[in-house]
């Protein structure tokens, strides 16, 4: 989320809380600064601080869950399936914004007000440390979720949910950037960025509108796209052995960022600098492009004949490399379920989260949302491999996957990367100036 947007949101939150603004004006202003209407409504509910939850009274316990946007309908389906079990817990599912920054604003507003509008929070992998440090989620104990059961889940995402020795959320699925390519156009997918550009130019705009779609808007997703190109050129943001040392103003970063700038308005539409995941996916599914960078969720949706024009005409490939490198690196994302520390119904919330970790739910998510669920058994399940064959090659991709910079100052680091990289992409600054400014920004941030 950009700085100006956050300022307006903080201002209207203050006004609605103090009764100086109507609900309608709040919603209008929130939408005007770029929040989707679902996000605006969720934010309004979070500000109200009202609880939908009722404590156990021998009857049904109501639990609320705010998820990010799910175009596949998988999560509302599973919520209904859980509710039909009639086990004394009823979960209300809310489909929130797809921009992780917007979802974070809703949660931080709710949590700072000690509100329990949502008992269960879908949490991005970059949040558990912040939530843990603030005591915003209830840690999951080994009595609730025994160590022997946890051992069946991928260690990386479990590690990502751990802070100060406690597990602050349960890992639902992990994420890794992928290169999508059109199998009806490309016989052998490229491994280097240079080859990708050459291939893209040979098909676009003669056969398809665009060569390459990706996420170039000024938001968290741009950080993911940037570090993937950077890591692919052998560069880094911080020294992996010393998080106080900034290494972003390097020859590798020059090459990586120049590469990205060169795509804008050539193999990628000029508007790619406003694209988030869903913009890229919608254009891709419309058959507009030869290549796309996106997360695994775009696979199932692309194979859905109800909305996609490229069913059976694409596959996925590992991230690309450039310069002297010989291996590409996906960035690691992923989503967890955390229990609001102010929830009055944490046990009922856990009952639902535990269901979402079950083989039944994890298999359904893998097969219908093509998300990389964390239960390891999923990756050798014959039904899963038949429906989403690319799960078979995820082992190698995940082995080379790398996180965004690991630092207690991550939110500030992310904002600086978003701003400086976006300035270069939109030609408001040169690559050299953007990287030198970013180096200075980050050095100040990590020296705090
Ligand atoms: C995906 C990833 C998440 C990342 C986001 C950026 O949702 O899972 O980790 O922050 O994309 O847009």
């Amino acid at each position: 989320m950009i700085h100006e947007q956050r300022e307006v949101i903080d201002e209207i939150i203050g006004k609605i809380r103090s009764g100086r603004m109507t609900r309608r004006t709040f919603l209008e202003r929130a939408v005007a600064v770029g929040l989707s209407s679902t996000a605006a409504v969720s934010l309004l509910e979070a500000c109200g601080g009202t609880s939908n939850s009722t404590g156990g009274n021998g009857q049904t316990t109501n639990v609320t869950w705010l998820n990010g946007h799910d175009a596949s309908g998988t999560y509302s389906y599973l919520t209904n399936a859980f509710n039909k079990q009639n086990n004394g817990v009823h979960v209300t599912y809310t489909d929130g914004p797809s921009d992780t920054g917007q979802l974070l604003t809703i949660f931080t507003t709710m949590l700072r007000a000690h509100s329990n509008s949502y008992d269960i929070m879908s949490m991005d992998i970059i949040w558990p440390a912040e939530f843990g440090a603030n005591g915003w989620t209830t840690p999951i104990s080994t009595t609730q979720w025994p160590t022997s059961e946890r051992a069946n889940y991928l260690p990386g995402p479990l590690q990502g949910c751990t802070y100060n020795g406690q597990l602050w959320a349960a890992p639902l699925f992990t994420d890794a950037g992928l290169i999508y390519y059109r199998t009806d156009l490309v016989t052998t997918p490229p491994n280097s960025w240079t080859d990708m550009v050459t291939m893209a130019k040979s098909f676009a705009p003669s056969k398809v509108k665009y060569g390459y779609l990706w996420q170039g808007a000024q938001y968290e997703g741009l950080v993911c796209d940037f570090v993937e190109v950077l890591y692919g050129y052998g560069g880094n943001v911080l020294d992996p052995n010393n998080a106080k040392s900034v290494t972003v103003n390097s020859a590798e970063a020059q090459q990586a960022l120049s590469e990205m700038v060169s795509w804008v308005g050539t193999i990628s539409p000029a508007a790619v600098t406003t694209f988030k995941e869903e913009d890229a996916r919608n254009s891709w599914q419309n058959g507009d492009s030869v290549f796309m960078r996106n997360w695994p969720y775009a696979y199932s949706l692309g194979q859905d004949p109800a909305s996609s024009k490229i069913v059976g005409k694409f596959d996925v490939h590992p991230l690309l490399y450039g310069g002297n490198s010989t291996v590409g690196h996906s960035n690691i994302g992923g989503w967890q379920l955390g229990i609001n520390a102010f929830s009055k119904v944490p046990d009922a919330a856990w009952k639902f989260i535990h269901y979402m970790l079950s083989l039944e739910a994890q298999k359904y998510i893998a097969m219908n949302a093509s998300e990389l669920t964390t239960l390891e058994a999923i990756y050798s399940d014959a039904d899963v491999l038949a429906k989403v064959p690319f799960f078979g090659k995820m082992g190698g991709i995940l082995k080379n996957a790398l996180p965004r910079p690991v630092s207690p100052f991550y939110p500030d680091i992310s904002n600086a990367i978003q701003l400086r990289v976006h300035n270069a992409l939109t030609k408001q600054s040169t690559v050299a100036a953007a990287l030198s400014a970013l180096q200075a920004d980050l050095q100040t941030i990590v020296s705090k």
Side-chain angles (χ1 to χ4, degrees):
M1 165 157 310
I2 56 178
H3 186 64
E4 295 76 27
Q5 215 177 9
R6 198 174 283 276
E7 274 185 354
V8 174
I9 289 173
D10 284 346
E11 180 204 321
I12 60 176
I13 286 170
K15 287 193 175 155
I16 190 94
R17 285 239 185 86
S18 59
R20 287 177 292 130
M21 185 176 263
T22 63
R23 290 169 65 89
R24 186 169 168 182
T25 314
F26 180 93
L27 292 173
E28 282 169 0
R29 299 258 338 249
V31 169
V33 290
L35 248 59
S36 66
S37 43
T38 336
V41 170
S42 298
L43 183 60
L44 181 62
E45 278 172 18
C47 292
T50 52
S51 170
N52 296 325
S53 313
T54 54
N57 52 7
Q59 295 173 357
T60 301
T61 303
N62 293 314
V63 172
T64 50
W65 171 26
L66 179 62
N67 190 27
H69 174 55
D70 166 33
S72 73
T74 299
Y75 298 101
S76 64
Y77 172 90
L78 285 172
T79 306
N80 287 336
F82 172 83
N83 289 338
K84 281 194 194 127
Q85 293 178 350
N86 282 324
N87 58 17
V89 177
H90 183 276
V91 177
T92 303
Y93 172 83
T94 303
D95 198 66
S98 49
D99 180 328
T100 174
Q102 296 189 357
L103 196 59
L104 182 61
T105 302
I106 295 171
F107 287 139
T108 49
T109 307
M110 168 179 85
L111 295 161
R112 289 195 178 115
H114 293 197
S115 153
N116 59 355
S117 313
Y118 298 107
D119 301 297
I120 300 176
M121 301 177 283
S122 287
M123 290 169 49
D124 196 336
I125 192 64
I126 51 183
W127 305 346
E130 184 185 358
F131 280 46
N134 285 300
W136 283 340
T137 58
T138 302
I140 297 162
S141 70
T142 45
T143 324
Q144 279 174 311
W145 201 27
T147 314
S148 56
E149 228 183 275
R150 295 180 192 193
N152 298 324
Y153 295 79
L154 296 173
L158 274 169
Q159 185 59 40
C161 291
T162 306
Y163 172 78
N164 259 350
Q166 303 254 44
L167 193 70
W168 297 92
L172 185 61
F173 65 86
T174 185
D175 242 348
L178 296 172
I179 297 294
Y180 285 74
Y181 70 98
R182 288 278 294 277
T183 47
D184 57 333
L185 301 172
V186 173
T187 334
T188 312
N191 292 318
S192 72
W193 293 113
T194 311
D195 289 349
M196 187 277 281
V197 172
T198 309
M199 280 188 208
K201 285 184 176 158
S202 71
F203 294 108
S206 57
K207 290 205 171 67
V208 275
K209 260 173 142 172
Y210 308 124
Y212 185 44
L213 298 169
W214 46 287
Q215 294 78 42
Q218 188 179 338
Y219 81 121
E220 182 62 34
L222 178 57
V223 180
C224 305
D225 284 45
F226 171 66
V227 297
E228 283 174 347
V229 185
L230 179 67
Y231 298 160
Y233 270 93
N236 229 318
V237 177
L238 305 178
D239 180 341
N241 300 315
N242 176 8
K244 291 254 172 226
S245 164
V246 180
T247 52
V248 81
N249 196 6
S250 61
E252 291 83 4
Q254 278 276 346
Q255 289 178 298
L257 189 52
S258 303
E259 173 84 58
M260 293 175 82
V261 171
S262 78
W263 301 334
V264 179
T266 57
I267 58 166
S268 306
V272 78
T273 58
T274 64
F275 274 25
K276 299 181 184 176
E277 285 84 356
E278 286 291 82
D279 306 299
R281 179 180 72 81
N282 286 324
S283 182
W284 162 256
Q285 286 193 183
N286 195 39
D288 290 348
S289 186
V290 193
F291 298 105
M292 170 179 73
R293 182 273 174 205
N294 217 323
W295 305 99
Y297 86 100
Y299 189 95
S300 279
L301 294 161
Q303 297 290 23
D304 178 2
S307 58
S308 170
K309 293 188 184 158
I310 51 164
V311 175
K313 292 187 183 163
F314 70 91
D315 203 352
V316 298
H317 190 68
L319 252 291
L320 311 180
Y321 51 78
N324 298 325
S325 301
T326 50
V327 60
H329 302 276
S330 297
N331 175 237
I332 300 169
W335 289 84
Q336 353 296 318
L337 296 176
I339 303 173
N340 180 345
F342 307 103
S343 168
K344 297 203 171 67
V345 289
D347 293 342
W350 171 252
K351 203 167 187 172
F352 176 69
I353 294 176
H354 199 219
Y355 166 75
M356 293 299 280
L357 295 169
S358 69
L359 175 63
E360 175 193 335
Q362 292 267 300
K363 191 164 166 174
Y364 188 87
I365 297 169
M367 291 176 66
N368 294 283
S370 57
E371 277 172 328
L372 306 173
T373 43
T374 50
L375 184 64
E376 279 193 292
I378 292 300
Y379 296 85
S380 49
D381 185 291
D383 299 334
V384 171
L385 292 172
K387 184 89 189 285
V388 278
F390 78 95
F391 270 47
K393 48 182 162 186
M394 283 317 298
I397 295 180
L398 288 172
K399 193 165 69 72
N400 289 324
L402 292 171
R404 278 157 266 176
V406 178
S407 158
F409 310 113
Y410 181 72
D412 291 343
I413 292 179
S414 169
N415 282 333
I417 296 177
Q418 292 172 34
L419 174 72
R420 300 302 183 185
V421 171
H422 196 258
N423 279 347
L425 295 178
T426 50
K427 309 236 167 52
Q428 293 175 71
S429 69
T430 61
V431 166
L435 288 174
S436 130
L438 182 56
Q439 173 83 21
D441 292 346
L442 298 186
Q443 200 57 68
T444 310
I445 294 167
V446 301
S447 311
K448 272 183 206 157

